[in-house]
Amino acid sequence: LPYINFNPDIVQCWYILASQILAALAVSLGPFAAGLGKGYSSPAVDSLKEQQHRFPAAVSNASSGIFSVSEQQASWVASLSLLGAFFGGMLGGLAMRFGRKRVLLITSLPFSASWLMTVFASSVEMMFATAFVGGFCCAIVLVVTQVYISEISVPDIRGCLSAVLKIVGHIGMLISFAVGAYLDWRQLAMVVAIAPIMLFATVLYIPETPSYLVLVGRDEEAARSLQWLRGPEIDVGHEIATIRTNIIASRQYHDGCRNTFTTITSRLLRPVLTTCGLMFFQRFSGATAFNFYAVSIFRQTGCMNPHGGAVAVGFVQLLASCVSGLLIDIVGRLPLLIASSMFMSMALAGFGSFAYYEDVHKEHRNGCLIAAQHDWIPLLCVLVFTVAFSLGISPISWLLIGELFPLEYRGLGSALATSFSYVCAFVGVKTFVDFQQVLGLHGAYWLYAAISVGGLCFVVCFVPETKGRDLDEMHPKYTHT
């Protein structure tokens, strides 16, 4: 065989990346389970309604397992998981003081149990309860996995690994949309219940984050963890010393200026306002409401296969997320956020204008829809919006939660930003129908377009660029003056 000259530096580099990628893939089963749950409500609500229409006589029979679900009850089934996520987000950030890995292990079991209870639900009220518990556990898993990725990865690939969490989430949602076309709501819930068990099994074999271990004074374990992540040939002593020194400096500075307004503003308030602002504009763009009602919305249009339409949107989201993972660390966070907000605004305004034109001219056309040659307009608007949303504000708003907060505030800050995000999502999903009834379909989308324009102004004025920057407790030049 010919001699192959291996470069040891390249081999070591790939080993370092492989260890971090493996750890990221292990915890990514959490967002995968969340994606399955996110995509569940759309086909499940449609399945519940279809069952009661196909078997009306069985609704009154308790042993049949078929029960009546009104429009308002269906909206609660879709949105209560987000209300549970609000409380889970608060607890998840605070619980991280007990360890990132430990929280993931403890949460994965009730997460799976909530979906198993959905399989055997005998009433819509029981589905309310399981949706709330599932959302509660889901939020904890999401906030902890994002912080875990931020703390184990080197800056050059942190954005890419964080994008993996969004990608697998979209894969989970796409699977729910696709499988939901063939399974009823009970069978689909059984599929979702498998993912948290897989999360539990994989997290057992990955280390705790070095930053957390140093924070709680377990330096030897931190060194072993960092050795696992960086490779056996790498001297991790300097990196551990850097983490320890910077944490001590951060604590001393924080203790010395505990009651000053400047400290609170620079160390906690500013990151909270930045991340919460991004979450507000992300959740009130209309994307969350569409994902939760995709099948029902497409069924109301009557122009295409509703499950096929939902799968198409999920597939486009997945492709855009993959591209986002490549661009975040190349282009930067800020340019992607600006481009995302611009194209979202234009797409939403275009869709609203199309709906307005249709409403205004409907009477003159005796109730007919716009000619078939114009059907590409709303489809183009939906695709442009989906790509823009998935490329920019959707993954980056979550990435910045792990990047902007200093270590001593990361648990609290993550809890506040995540909880606020889910409050906005809950309100957005519940009010979509109300906006449509009060403002009309065109007015609702014009409102979302105006919110996206506000998001563009917010990004330009307040969001910092974090591309290539170390987390503050790992940066060798971390100082306070």
Side-chain angles (χ1 to χ4, degrees):
L1 293 176
Y3 174 74
I4 301 176
N5 184 22
F6 289 104
N7 188 325
D9 294 334
I10 296 178
V11 173
Q12 186 61 46
C13 179
W14 277 109
Y15 187 96
I16 294 172
L17 295 180
S19 298
Q20 295 173 58
I21 291 171
L22 285 175
L25 291 177
V27 298
S28 70
L29 286 170
F32 176 72
L36 287 172
K38 182 179 179 181
Y40 172 81
S41 65
S42 179
V45 167
D46 187 69
S47 175
L48 285 165
K49 294 179 180 178
E50 185 178 0
Q51 278 189 351
Q52 71 182 42
H53 290 151
R54 290 178 58 189
F55 309 104
V59 172
S60 59
N61 185 0
S63 62
S64 67
I66 300 175
F67 42 85
S68 176
V69 179
S70 66
E71 290 293 337
Q72 279 297 318
Q73 288 174 330
S75 70
W76 281 109
V77 170
S79 61
L80 266 175
S81 61
L82 298 171
L83 185 61
F86 162 68
F87 295 100
M90 289 192 296
L91 180 62
L94 299 176
M96 278 194 288
R97 68 181 64 183
F98 301 107
R100 285 62 162 143
K101 177 179 177 178
R102 182 179 299 174
V103 172
L104 288 175
L105 290 172
I106 293 174
T107 308
S108 59
L109 296 179
F111 193 6
S112 179
S114 67
W115 286 104
L116 290 175
M117 292 173 62
T118 303
V119 175
F120 301 102
S122 57
S123 66
V124 69
E125 289 77 16
M126 189 171 180
M127 293 192 72
F128 291 164
T130 57
F132 183 89
V133 174
F136 180 86
C137 297
C138 175
I140 295 176
V141 168
L142 286 178
V143 66
V144 176
T145 53
Q146 181 62 71
V147 170
Y148 184 93
I149 293 295
S150 298
E151 292 184 348
I152 68 163
S153 55
V154 294
D156 291 340
I157 63 170
R158 189 189 309 131
C160 183
L161 293 183
S162 295
V164 168
L165 302 183
K166 296 298 296 183
I167 291 171
V168 297
H170 286 308
I171 291 175
M173 187 174 67
L174 179 59
I175 290 175
S176 282
F177 283 163
V179 175
Y182 304 98
L183 303 181
D184 65 26
W185 60 274
R186 294 184 189 273
Q187 295 167 337
L188 185 57
M190 178 63 75
V191 173
V192 181
I194 298 174
I197 296 298
M198 296 171 60
L199 173 66
F200 179 87
T202 57
V203 170
L204 286 171
Y205 297 99
I206 60 174
E208 180 59 84
T209 69
S211 296
Y212 169 76
L213 292 171
V214 173
L215 182 66
V216 296
R218 295 154 59 182
D219 289 5
E220 292 185 3
E221 293 182 53
R224 290 195 296 269
S225 171
L226 198 58
Q227 200 76 69
W228 190 95
L229 293 166
R230 302 293 185 260
E233 303 300 326
I234 297 297
D235 183 8
V236 299
H238 176 70
E239 191 170 352
I240 289 291
T242 299
I243 296 174
R244 185 189 307 113
T245 301
N246 292 333
I247 288 176
I248 293 173
S250 176
R251 283 174 170 171
Q252 291 175 343
Y253 180 80
H254 173 62
D255 292 340
C257 307
R258 185 181 299 272
N259 297 321
T260 66
F261 178 78
T262 302
T263 300
I264 297 174
T265 301
S266 61
R267 303 292 288 164
L268 179 61
L269 183 58
R270 188 173 300 169
V272 166
L273 294 178
T274 302
T275 53
C276 286
L278 284 175
M279 289 300 179
F280 173 85
F281 293 111
Q282 176 198 358
R283 294 301 194 178
F284 281 99
S285 66
T288 304
F290 181 84
N291 286 333
F292 276 77
Y293 296 112
V295 174
S296 298
I297 291 173
F298 280 124
R299 189 175 296 280
Q300 290 172 15
T301 63
C303 62
M304 64 184 303
N305 182 295
H307 289 284
V311 170
V313 172
F315 186 70
V316 171
Q317 287 181 340
L318 173 60
L319 292 181
S321 296
C322 293
V323 176
S324 173
L326 299 175
L327 294 179
I328 284 178
D329 287 320
I330 298 175
V331 178
R333 283 67 161 157
L334 203 55
L336 283 179
L337 282 173
I338 293 173
S340 173
S341 299
M342 290 176 59
F343 283 102
M344 285 169 58
S345 302
M346 291 187 291
L348 290 167
F351 191 93
S353 299
F354 179 88
Y356 177 76
Y357 179 85
E358 181 180 327
D359 289 341
V360 169
H361 292 81
K362 185 175 292 185
E363 294 183 359
H364 301 288
R365 291 178 283 108
N366 297 321
C368 297
L369 296 178
I370 292 178
Q373 62 266 28
H374 298 298
D375 286 351
W376 60 270
I377 297 177
L379 177 61
L380 177 64
C381 291
V382 170
L383 292 180
V384 169
F385 173 81
T386 300
V387 171
F389 179 81
S390 301
L391 277 178
I393 195 170
S394 178
I396 295 175
S397 58
W398 289 101
L399 170 62
L400 291 181
I401 288 180
E403 289 188 333
L404 292 182
F405 290 105
L407 182 60
E408 69 269 23
Y409 292 122
R410 193 165 296 150
L412 177 60
S414 299
L416 292 173
T418 303
S419 297
F420 180 79
S421 171
Y422 285 114
V423 166
C424 293
F426 172 72
V427 175
V429 172
K430 283 297 296 177
T431 57
F432 174 74
V433 176
D434 299 323
F435 286 155
Q436 186 175 350
Q437 291 175 345
V438 175
L439 304 174
L441 183 61
H442 61 277
Y445 278 92
W446 282 344
L447 175 62
Y448 292 143
I451 292 174
S452 294
V453 171
L456 174 61
C457 298
F458 178 84
V459 167
V460 172
C461 296
F462 299 107
V463 178
E465 177 59 80
T466 60
K467 174 189 172 185
R469 296 184 182 179
D470 287 295
L471 299 184
D472 59 5
E473 76 273 6
M474 303 178 75
H475 199 294
K477 297 181 180 180
Y478 179 95
T479 56
H480 289 293
T481 57

